[in-house]
Amino acid sequence: MKGFRFKAVAPVVLGALATVLGACGDIGTPSEPAGLSKPRFVVIPPPSQVVVPIGDPGSFTNAIVANNSGRATTEFWDNLSADVTTTNSCNIGFWATNTLLPDCANEAPGSDANQGGFSKYFGDGGVTARDAAGFMFKGGNTYTVTLKGAYHGGPSEVGWFTVSGGVYTFHVVPAWGSSTINNTLLIDPGASDWGFYIKNSFNPQGGGCANLTNCSDATGGFTSSPFQQFALMLNAAGTQYLVGAEDNKLELMPNGNYRDSDYNDYIWSVDPTALPDPQVCDFVTFGRLVTSVGGNKVVISGNVGGFNADGSIKGEYHIDVNGVDNHVSDPATYGPITSGPLFGLPNARITTGIARNGNTVELRLWDGGEPGKNTDRVFVKINGVAVLGPTGPFIDQGNMQYHANCRGP
């Protein structure tokens, strides 16, 4: 078996229109999370750009089927567990597929509630692809890492590492070692690839990445040194990873020393930060789009799309609703519409942001052709309220122009 590594996110004031909008929805429920001011017309990098196989090529071609079938014939992690009371559906595969039963022993409170959501595991790429593969995560990106579960009798030191020229640098995370479930850490390794490590004095297997320490880049699987103490899994969308750690000797149960191979002692989710989608580099300009609701004028002007030098989104726009100017000067998101109003129209775009007056803004635009009136459509939400109705009307005046060419540095 080989190792792996990972390659190194105020109340609305609408004047006389507030009464009209009160019947349309709950003011104050934003359609996008507040506080996100950097680019989010983005994509999650695929596994090929996130996971760095170490030694073996490794792959996620294997479906997770948890049944305690044993590593001798099937998956390296699918073994009976020492963390058992009356049943034995306790290894990492049961947790990953939300089939772990509530009587597994040594649970850190809250672990059971987090289980489920994963469908593939990372194998060594061989004929049977059942052995663990070494891995790290790719540098050059940031990762949100959360301790989701822990099932162990004694604590270990756990954290993350980088390696350069064979020299390992370890970053201990005490909250993980103390099994603080749902503790989250943002890992920014710079250009370096990074991985997980576990350290304790009760694992008698030697040959780790340092004294008493085992790392996720281990290439020996469960049969030889350096032994792989980590399992890697993936959700169906290919956007979130699961890492499970085995804290003791990779020895099958039952035995007298409570050593096992269930990889459930510490369980983390790993979420790569979404990156700007290089294929979405168009932009839209729009001048004095005018429509109305309930006799109240709505005027929309501005532009959005493309990149600034720091990777943020170009653009600035005003949405004037009955004299209240919702001025977005730093768009948080921009990109194709994937559902909801105007979805399915060619080159329709959505942008969101926080206006200078504190209101959350969602703006959807479609350039349906010239002259603009009765051809272009617009949809607006202010603080979660659909200002112009649920579908997005044609404009009465003005024009918008979709530009397919990229703009930015």
Side-chain angles (χ1 to χ4, degrees), residues 34-120:
L36 298 174
S37 60
K38 289 306 175 186
R40 287 181 54 229
F41 53 136
V42 293
V43 291
I44 302 294
S48 62
Q49 297 177 22
V50 173
V51 177
V52 182
I54 307 299
D56 276 324
S59 70
F60 284 106
T61 58
N62 315 290
I64 299 174
V65 180
N67 55 17
N68 290 322
S69 52
R71 70 190 188 197
T73 57
T74 58
E75 308 91 348
F76 67 92
W77 45 263
D78 202 7
N79 308 300
L80 296 174
S81 172
D83 304 300
V84 58
T85 54
T86 59
T87 63
N88 209 309
S89 299
C90 298
N91 67 51
I92 184 66
F94 291 99
W95 196 98
T97 56
N98 196 25
T99 54
L100 184 144
L101 297 179
D103 59 353
C104 291
N106 302 317
E107 177 201 359
S111 299
D112 285 359
N114 287 335
Q115 65 177 305
F118 298 87
S119 60
K120 296 181 179 181

Side-chain angles (χ1 to χ4, degrees), residues 258-309:
Y258 291 96
R259 298 168 185 161
D260 58 353
S261 285
D262 55 18
Y263 297 86
N264 70 359
D265 296 279
Y266 296 88
I267 302 170
W268 298 268
S269 65
V270 179
D271 294 270
T273 300
L275 301 174
D277 184 351
Q279 300 182 48
V280 181
C281 202
D282 51 54
F283 66 102
V284 181
T285 56
F286 38 99
R288 292 196 61 78
L289 311 182
V290 179
T291 186
S292 62
V293 57
N296 297 287
K297 181 182 290 187
V298 178
V299 182
I300 304 167
S301 297
N303 68 92
V304 64
F307 297 93
N308 294 308

